[in-house]
Amino acid sequence: MSEHQKNKPAGPWTQSIRLAFYALYALTLLAAASWLFSNIRQIPADSRAVVLHFGAQQRIAEPGLLLTWPKPINDVVMVPAPDRVIEHHVTALLRSNDALHADARGDNSSDALAGSGYLLTGDSGVVQLDISVFYRVVTPMAYVLQGEHVIPALDRLVERAAVAVCAARDLDTILVARPEMVSGDLNVAQQRERLRADVQHNVEQNLQRLAHSGSDLGITLERVTVQSTLPETTVTAFNAVLTASQQASQAIATANTDASLIRQKSTQLADQTRQTAQAQARERVAKAQSDTAMVNRLADSPHDPDLLARVYRERIAAILAQAESVITVSPKDDANLILQAAGKKEPSKP
């Protein structure tokens, strides 16, 4: 090749190909560098990292800077730190959206939708439980191996515990269905307080069984919150019963008040009648004593035989003056009848 051909400038196609090659080479280097440093990351303070080497556990990295090989050599999965408490609301125990729509339409034709979200109690009652669980990740590798199955498994365990706990209790030991029994039985109130602890204990036992069978979820429960409610139709019925009970109690209280007023008035009237009768009796006794005073004096004076004749003469005139007619008979001579008339007549002879 001649010197002239060597110094001949390249054509536009040649320059374009050369520039494209350089650009592709630079992109390849950038991609390689990005892949090489893809697993170099910062682990947050509330998390840990499980490093898998070709799918097998290699190590657990604590918060800080993580240096490891890129995928597919090493895979990094972030898990919560052991002191981080995670809340999970168990929505499987709630009524489904289809059931809520059916309730809004008033459609009760489907038995499956009618029983959605309801739990049967030991006394054939119906109750709803709204449960939230708080847990921590204590075994990161088991948590990573279970992966997306942790939450569904936890939901099933909570559902099983809720069914078992409700079936072992009656309605009054789950919630305050009848307010009149709140302070009536201390044992019922204590069982109502132990409901949350029993649910948590049941879930913990099932978690331990899974761990012993080789299906450890890698979590431990911290606490469980349980909110128990009645179905809306049941609440309406209970409210109606409560309203009727309150109205009956109010009517009884009103009747007792009226009876107390009537009793007070009757007592006052009886006291007044008794006092009036006692006063009249005292007056009659006094009058009788006054009327019999002379007789008593006569009885107390047996040594004065003329006293009775004097009293007779003093009072006989007033007594005879009040009579329309008087027929007198001589006490010593009953054969003669003395007739009193306007004119003076002699006593008649038989």
Side-chain angles (χ1 to χ4, degrees):
M1 183 180 293
S2 63
E3 184 179 353
H4 177 70
Q5 291 177 345
K6 292 180 179 179
N7 296 330
K8 184 179 179 180
W13 285 104
T14 303
Q15 293 178 0
S16 298
I17 292 173
R18 185 180 295 116
L19 291 175
F21 174 76
Y22 289 151
L24 182 60
Y25 182 73
L27 289 176
T28 302
L29 292 178
L30 289 176
S34 176
W35 172 78
L36 184 63
F37 297 103
S38 61
N39 270 345
I40 299 177
R41 64 183 70 184
Q42 180 71 28
I43 303 176
D46 60 346
S47 301
R48 287 182 295 179
V50 177
V51 180
L52 303 176
H53 183 68
F54 292 110
Q57 181 182 3
Q58 185 184 51
R59 60 193 173 95
I60 299 175
E62 298 298 330
L65 183 62
L66 175 64
L67 301 176
T68 185
W69 292 104
K71 293 181 180 181
I73 301 174
N74 285 347
D75 192 8
V76 178
V77 181
M78 291 293 180
V79 297
D83 56 349
R84 177 182 170 187
V85 179
I86 304 171
E87 179 184 1
H88 173 60
H89 186 207
V90 183
T91 58
L93 292 172
L94 303 179
R95 285 181 67 77
S96 62
N97 293 329
D98 295 337
L100 293 177
H101 293 329
D103 292 342
R105 296 192 306 267
D107 184 9
N108 298 324
S109 59
S110 175
D111 293 337
L113 295 180
S116 173
Y118 295 151
L119 297 174
L120 192 64
T121 62
D123 58 347
S124 300
V126 177
V127 69
Q128 289 178 306
L129 294 184
D130 189 359
I131 301 178
S132 295
V133 294
F134 297 82
Y135 64 91
R136 292 186 298 109
V137 178
V138 293
T139 310
M141 190 59 195
Y143 184 80
V144 171
L145 290 179
Q146 293 294 338
E148 61 184 8
H149 301 290
V150 174
I151 297 301
L154 186 59
D155 286 342
R156 288 193 295 271
L157 293 180
V158 173
E159 287 182 73
R160 179 178 178 180
V163 171
V165 169
C166 289
R169 282 175 164 79
D170 56 15
L171 186 61
D172 292 310
T173 57
I174 297 176
L175 49 74
V176 182
R178 290 175 287 181
E180 66 273 10
M181 296 185 61
V182 172
S183 58
D185 192 348
L186 183 59
N187 187 30
V188 171
Q190 291 176 352
Q191 293 183 12
R192 194 180 300 121
E193 291 295 330
R194 288 200 303 265
L195 174 65
R196 181 196 61 80
D198 290 344
V199 172
Q200 181 174 349
H201 181 66
N202 192 298
V203 176
E204 289 175 345
Q205 284 184 335
N206 291 327
L207 286 175
Q208 292 176 1
R209 292 192 184 99
L210 288 178
H212 293 329
S213 63
S215 301
D216 187 11
L217 299 181
I219 61 175
T220 181
L221 286 186
E222 283 295 307
R223 66 181 185 277
V224 175
T225 60
V226 180
Q227 182 178 1
S228 54
T229 56
L230 290 171
E232 294 184 0
T233 55
T234 307
V235 172
T236 303
F238 269 105
N239 289 337
V241 173
L242 182 60
T243 301
S245 301
Q246 292 176 348
Q247 292 176 351
S249 300
Q250 183 178 1
I252 292 173
T254 303
N256 290 333
T257 303
D258 295 340
S260 299
L261 293 176
I262 295 174
R263 189 183 303 110
Q264 291 177 358
K265 291 181 179 179
S266 300
T267 303
Q268 293 176 356
L269 182 60
D271 292 340
Q272 182 179 0
T273 304
R274 183 171 58 254
Q275 292 174 0
T276 303
Q278 291 175 352
Q280 291 177 353
R282 287 193 296 269
E283 290 179 358
R284 291 178 180 178
V285 169
K287 186 175 184 301
Q289 291 176 351
S290 176
D291 294 340
T292 59
M294 184 60 67
V295 177
N296 292 331
R297 287 199 301 270
L298 292 175
D300 294 338
S301 302
H303 303 292
D304 189 1
D306 297 333
L307 179 60
L308 181 60
R310 290 196 301 271
V311 173
Y312 175 80
R313 287 192 296 271
E314 291 177 357
R315 299 195 174 185
I316 190 61
I319 294 174
L320 293 178
Q322 297 178 359
E324 180 178 357
S325 62
V326 177
I327 298 174
T328 59
V329 178
S330 175
K332 297 180 180 181
D333 184 10
D334 55 357
N336 296 322
L337 179 64
I338 303 174
L339 298 179
Q340 301 290 341
K344 185 177 179 181
K345 294 182 178 181
E346 294 294 334
S348 59
K349 298 290 184 178

